[in-house]
Amino acid sequence: MTTKEILHMNAGHGETSYARNSTVQAITGLCEPTSTILPKSMAIADLGCSSGPNALTLVSAALDAIHHHCAQQQQPPPEVCVFLNDLPSNDFNSVAKSLATLKHSHGDLDDPVVITGIGMIPGSFYERLFPCGSLHFVCSSNSLHWLSKAPDDLKEGKIPMYDMVEHLRVSRRAAVRDAYARQFRKDFTQFLSLRAQELVTGGRMVISLYGRCSENPISRSNQAWQVVAVALNDMASRGIIDKEKLDSFYIPLYAPLENEVNEIIEDEGSFEINKMLVRNPFSGMDDATVSPKMIALSIRAVFESTVVLHFGSSEEIMDEFAKTVEQKLSSGSAWRAVLAAEYPLKSY
């Protein structure tokens, strides 16, 4: 089963996040080189909007950026059409309920941005979603590290994502890493090519995704799913989940290195990188806030649909999963691995 059929997750974005600040710069970049005037009408799209209270964060930031830019330039704001995209399993009803709040908050501004239409577009962003040359601004946050599917060559070769036998796991580490890297390159290249067709000439895109910072061979093999695999391996060893099912379990997620992202963007050729930033998501947060329990609950929220689909629906299994993840994170080494592996790599 492919990612687009099973995956649904939530992600949050703070007021001071890079995504919000970079959005302002990207909106300004839409102006003609010799002018500060925005188009009379604009279309913006959030790809991987998710649901819940943060679903409209990026769109709201874009509308704020348009409003402030027009206020500074003393020009009337453009009419804006907003498109919200996620997989068909996303809770779009929840997103729809947030739209009234969005319109109300921007309607209170002096000379507000006029939202002329809002569309919800279910589907994978690894497929065409919009007509050619129809979008001015595209944003995507905490989504592009999810692959369209797990690597076929691992499944066909019956190479586990995380082998229970340690010496086999070590010997296959490079093969697993390279298979995931190839799938990420294929998917990310496809994403860039499709968005290049859908954006107007001079359009802008802001994206963020989880990445890794170190070239160290051991660190290079760390992935955002590693602590999940460690916890499931522990549960399999205790007979809570089936060992054979663990061997055939693959999480379609890859955290790339910065140079991988750079190289793919350059090789695909449709976009130029205006700015790239690597940031520790836990920077400025104390250990009491970023606790193993909090991270374990977040991991459960993100991975539960994938785990349940493969191992079966059971509240007891998921409770044990969260408990085991928390225990592994509390042990120290696994906790540091998560911190090292999950630095969001944000680029536009």
Side-chain angles (χ1 to χ4, degrees), residues 7 33 51-52 69 116 124 127 129 139 146 153 163 240 251 253 278 307 322 333 338 348:
L7 183 66
S51 60
H69 175 79
T116 57
S124 169
E127 300 171 353
L129 296 170
C139 53
W146 289 101
D153 41 353
D163 204 300
I240 298 173
I251 297 176
L253 185 153
V278 179
V307 172
S333 59
V338 169
Y348 74 83

Side-chain angles (χ1 to χ4, degrees), residues 188-326:
F188 191 40
T189 299
Q190 175 77 348
F191 175 87
L192 295 172
S193 176
L194 295 173
R195 303 295 81 80
Q197 296 174 55
E198 295 167 348
L199 280 163
V200 301
T201 301
R204 294 293 192 274
M205 183 161 64
V206 175
I207 63 175
S208 71
L209 66 156
Y210 278 108
R212 291 164 295 140
C213 297
S214 176
E215 290 280 1
N216 181 285
I218 295 178
S219 177
R220 286 184 64 189
S221 298
N222 287 341
Q223 285 297 321
W225 46 253
Q226 181 170 339
V227 71
V228 177
V230 170
L232 292 173
N233 182 65
D234 182 273
M235 292 169 65
S237 68
R238 290 184 282 130
I240 298 173
I241 59 174
D242 186 79
K243 294 181 179 179
E244 291 186 1
K245 281 193 173 183
L246 178 60
D247 285 341
S248 60
F249 179 62
Y250 301 90
I251 297 176
L253 185 153
Y254 180 73
L257 290 162
E258 180 179 357
N259 60 3
E260 288 181 271
V261 176
N262 277 326
E263 185 178 291
I264 295 170
I265 293 173
E266 291 173 0
D267 288 348
E268 195 280 330
S270 297
F271 293 89
E272 293 182 359
I273 301 172
N274 296 112
K275 180 180 287 187
M276 181 172 284
L277 175 70
V278 179
R279 181 179 65 88
N280 184 338
F282 304 114
S283 177
M285 301 175 68
D286 57 37
D287 291 341
T289 303
V290 189
S291 66
K293 183 174 183 178
M294 183 270 281
I295 296 297
L297 290 174
S298 298
I299 288 174
R300 175 174 180 171
V302 171
F303 291 99
E304 182 164 357
S305 61
T306 307
V307 172
V308 164
L309 181 73
H310 191 79
F311 295 99
S313 179
S314 168
E315 192 70 21
E316 292 76 14
I317 286 179
M318 290 312 305
D319 287 345
E320 183 62 30
F321 170 76
K323 179 182 176 182
T324 305
V325 169
E326 182 180 352

Side-chain angles (χ1 to χ4, degrees), residues 148-213:
S148 64
K149 60 181 179 179
D152 287 333
D153 41 353
L154 294 183
K155 295 179 181 180
E156 293 168 0
K158 296 184 178 180
I159 300 174
M161 177 185 73
Y162 188 90
D163 204 300
M164 291 186 64
V165 181
E166 184 175 2
H167 77 272
L168 290 176
R169 183 168 65 249
V170 172
S171 67
R172 292 169 170 171
R173 181 181 290 159
V176 173
R177 179 195 68 217
D178 292 345
Y180 271 90
R182 286 192 297 272
Q183 186 64 48
F184 175 77
R185 170 175 279 274
K186 179 180 179 181
D187 284 342
F188 191 40
T189 299
Q190 175 77 348
F191 175 87
L192 295 172
S193 176
L194 295 173
R195 303 295 81 80
Q197 296 174 55
E198 295 167 348
L199 280 163
V200 301
T201 301
R204 294 293 192 274
M205 183 161 64
V206 175
I207 63 175
S208 71
L209 66 156
Y210 278 108
R212 291 164 295 140
C213 297

Side-chain angles (χ1 to χ4, degrees), residues 119-132:
M120 294 183 217
I121 314 296
S124 169
F125 50 49
Y126 295 122
E127 300 171 353
R128 275 292 299 273
L129 296 170
F130 305 98
C132 287

